[in-house]
């Protein structure tokens, strides 16, 4: 089973908490020029490959993941560093339509395999949910990123 989603970080210190993007009716207050902090949560067959501890500039994270999904869709292994994290997220093809999803670096290594279409669908669904909510709350649009995320899929 594969699940994916996005959380945003609200508050600071003891009051800091993460909220699922689907439940947000506003964005966290950030200083002008500061990053919108969030995390992509991706669980593949019981392994949390991406989790809340990898919080960073969430728009950049989704941009990098969209690039990896697009690169993988074009028939080759795909890998990207995550912004300011010193770690790499990758998708590698395996026999019989399977995919190896992994995260490695900074002394951490997580990996799991699953049906490739299930992984790609989960990432696309979560990415589109994120960008839909961002467009609703900000009025800004990310057509190039969404095009790379959705290339060759039913989400076009």
């Amino acid at each position: 089973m594969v699940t994916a989603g996005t959380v945003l970080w609200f508050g600071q210190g003891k009051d800091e908490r993460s909220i699922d993007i689907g439940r947000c009716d506003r964005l966290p207050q950030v200083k002008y020029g500061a990053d919108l902090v969030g995390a992509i949560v991706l669980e593949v067959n019981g392994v949390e490959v991406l989790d809340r501890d990898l919080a960073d500039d969430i728009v950049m994270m989704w941009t990098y993941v969209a690039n990896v999904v697009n690169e993988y869709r074009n028939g080759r292994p795909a890998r990207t560093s995550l912004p300011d994290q010193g770690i790499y997220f990758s998708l590698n093809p395996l026999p019989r339509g399977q995919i190896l999803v992994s995260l490695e670096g900074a002394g951490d290594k997580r990996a799991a395999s699953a049906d490739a279409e299930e992984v790609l669908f989960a990432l696309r669904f979560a990415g589109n949910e994120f960008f839909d909510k961002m467009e609703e709350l900000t009025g800004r649009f990310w057509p190039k990123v969404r095009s790379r995320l959705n290339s060759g899929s039913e989400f076009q």
Side-chain angles (χ1 to χ4, degrees):
M1 182 169 158
V2 179
T3 59
T6 307
V7 294
L8 296 181
W9 289 98
F10 285 78
Q12 294 178 339
K14 278 190 335 188
D15 297 328
E16 190 174 61
R17 67 194 186 289
S18 62
I19 298 177
D20 182 271
I21 190 76
R23 295 185 4 188
C24 292
D25 58 2
R26 63 180 175 82
L27 294 176
Q29 293 291 329
V30 295
K31 293 180 182 177
Y32 181 75
D35 296 336
L36 179 63
V37 177
I40 299 170
V41 179
L42 174 63
E43 185 174 318
V44 179
N45 289 327
V47 176
E48 224 175 22
V49 179
L50 300 175
D51 63 26
R52 295 167 194 267
D53 291 338
L54 300 172
D56 207 329
D57 178 343
I58 192 61
V59 175
M60 287 302 295
M61 287 184 75
W62 269 116
T63 300
Y64 289 18
V65 169
N67 290 339
V68 166
V69 168
N70 185 57
E71 199 171 312
Y72 180 86
R73 188 203 66 84
N74 288 326
R76 56 185 178 263
R79 179 179 172 182
T80 189
S81 62
L82 294 179
D84 302 323
Q85 304 256 356
I87 55 177
Y88 293 89
F89 173 69
S90 61
L91 302 175
N92 290 290
L94 294 172
R96 294 183 292 285
Q98 297 287 298
I99 188 172
L100 179 65
V101 183
S102 61
L103 178 85
E104 60 184 301
D108 197 6
K109 184 166 183 159
R110 309 171 202 173
S113 63
D115 177 79
E117 289 305 314
E118 186 179 3
V119 170
L120 296 176
F121 180 87
L123 286 170
R124 287 176 173 139
F125 188 88
N128 281 296
E129 178 185 47
F130 169 73
F131 285 112
D132 286 347
K133 183 59 83 166
M134 290 296 292
E135 290 167 3
E136 173 190 324
L137 296 175
T138 68
R140 290 188 54 209
F141 297 90
W142 290 266
K144 289 181 183 177
V145 176
R146 288 178 82 135
S147 176
R148 287 191 299 272
L149 179 67
N150 296 318
S151 181
S153 76
E154 65 272 15
F155 289 103
Q156 290 186 19

